[in-house]
């Protein structure tokens, strides 16, 4: 069964550094998402991406964050100048069930970011 | 944007009992309402979903009901088992999917 894959599974970084989290969505999916989950808390929407551009973003997704689809398979989340409060699990998800962006989300295993 | 409220935050039941988790949403345009189960350290996994043109959906021990007028939907788990213990998230979606805060369900043997 096709899966969303994410790398790295865990990244430790120093405060102020830049990190890039990578995702390979399911190949025939057209909608891509990043979510964040701080330990023990809810899954928070960051951004959705369709047709090579951001379609929606939350208030969390400020200038510190950016997303890119650099080639036909990868979908990346870049976090600049990381802060302690950026420590969280970051989930990539993709979707396409023929009903646009209101279909089932398939989540990756997540990338745990620890900012020291 | 969409705001999803979920209750209760924790729920403890005896094995074999039923569990009910309730959610409300704010955006009347939302038309897709999934429920995800998340085990510790794992990704959220879809367990059941419902679209706005349907009032109820059932899959074995799991059912979801939707009241579009009142903007609330509920998850019902019958004959609970210890392996049902997890965090359950409801979500509502129109342009993007927003999640409730989660319910930690504990099923005691």
């Amino acid at each position: 069964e096709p899966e969303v894959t994410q790398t790295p599974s865990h990244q430790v970084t120093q405060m102020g550094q830049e990190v890039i989290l990578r995702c390979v969505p399911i190949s025939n999916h057209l909608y891509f998402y990043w979510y964040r989950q701080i330990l023990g808390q809810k899954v928070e929407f960051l951004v959705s991406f369709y047709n090579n551009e951001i379609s929606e973003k939350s208030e969390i997704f400020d200038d510190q964050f950016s997303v890119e689809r650099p080639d036909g398979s990868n979908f990346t989340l870049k976090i600049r100048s990381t802060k302690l409060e950026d420590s969280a699990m970051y989930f990539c998800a993709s979707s396409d069930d023929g009903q646009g962006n209101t279909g089932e989300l398939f989540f990756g295993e997540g990338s745990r970011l620890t900012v020291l | 944007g969409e705001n999803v409220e979920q209750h209760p935050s924790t729920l403890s039941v005896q094995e074999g009992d039923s569990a009910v988790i309730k959610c409300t949403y704010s955006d009347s345009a939302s038309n897709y309402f999934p429920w995800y189960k998340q085990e510790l350290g794992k990704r959220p996994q879809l367990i059941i979903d419902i679209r706005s043109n349907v009032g109820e959906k059932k899959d074995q021990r799991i059912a979801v009901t939707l009241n579009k007028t009142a903007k609330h939907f509920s998850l019902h788990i019958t004959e609970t088992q210890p392996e049902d213990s997890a965090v359950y998230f409801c979500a509502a979606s129109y342009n993007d999917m927003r999640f409730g805060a989660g319910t930690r369900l504990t099923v005691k043997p």
Side-chain angles (χ1 to χ4, degrees), chain B residues 14-96:
Chain B
Q14 286 295 134
E15 182 177 0
D17 287 351
S18 294
V20 179
I21 303 170
K22 298 183 178 182
C23 288
T24 61
Y25 61 98
S26 61
D27 188 351
S28 55
S30 289
N31 58 3
Y32 176 64
F33 307 92
W35 287 87
Y36 284 83
K37 176 182 179 182
Q38 187 178 32
E39 296 175 349
L40 190 63
K42 302 283 185 66
R43 74 182 102 185
Q45 296 212 301
L46 180 74
I47 56 171
I48 195 167
D49 57 12
I50 192 167
R51 297 194 182 273
S52 57
N53 57 347
V54 175
E56 186 173 352
K57 184 176 177 180
K58 189 173 181 181
D59 182 4
Q60 299 182 352
R61 296 186 297 108
I62 295 172
V64 58
T65 59
L66 170 65
N67 183 329
K68 280 220 76 178
T69 304
K71 289 191 281 194
H72 65 71
F73 56 114
S74 301
L75 177 72
H76 304 251
I77 306 174
T78 58
E79 301 171 31
T80 53
Q81 301 164 3
E83 49 266 39
D84 294 330
S85 296
V87 178
Y88 291 80
F89 291 97
C90 63
S93 176
Y94 176 61
N95 282 325
D96 56 71

Side-chain angles (χ1 to χ4, degrees), chain A residues 13-27:
Chain A
T13 191
Q14 294 291 324
M15 194 167 54
Q17 296 296 304
E18 175 181 287
V19 299
I20 297 176
L21 306 179
R22 292 181 169 80
C23 169
V24 179
I26 294 173
S27 62

Side-chain angles (χ1 to χ4, degrees), chain A residues 9-112:
Chain A
S9 56
H10 188 194
Q11 180 153 356
V12 182
T13 191
Q14 294 291 324
M15 194 167 54
Q17 296 296 304
E18 175 181 287
V19 299
I20 297 176
L21 306 179
R22 292 181 169 80
C23 169
V24 179
I26 294 173
S27 62
N28 63 336
H29 285 187
L30 300 177
Y31 298 87
F32 314 120
Y33 308 83
W34 283 101
Y35 284 82
R36 178 181 82 176
Q37 187 176 33
I38 295 169
L39 187 63
Q41 297 187 24
K42 70 190 288 185
V43 178
E44 299 176 292
F45 171 75
L46 293 178
V47 66
S48 59
F49 192 87
Y50 170 71
N51 200 25
N52 284 320
E53 60 183 23
I54 290 174
S55 49
E56 297 284 339
K57 60 182 181 178
S58 73
E59 55 280 0
I60 301 169
F61 194 89
D62 58 21
D63 292 343
Q64 186 193 2
F65 295 89
S66 62
V67 290
E68 195 178 29
R69 189 156 163 81
D71 53 43
S73 60
N74 288 284
F75 178 51
T76 62
L77 174 69
K78 182 187 288 186
I79 310 174
R80 287 179 282 274
S81 190
T82 49
K83 302 176 285 207
L84 295 177
E85 53 265 39
D86 295 327
S87 295
M89 181 74 89
Y90 289 81
F91 288 105
C92 174
S94 68
S95 170
D96 184 18
D97 71 349
Q99 300 203 36
N101 59 352
T102 55
E104 178 183 353
L105 293 191
F106 291 81
F107 283 89
E109 293 277 8
S111 292
R112 180 167 296 285

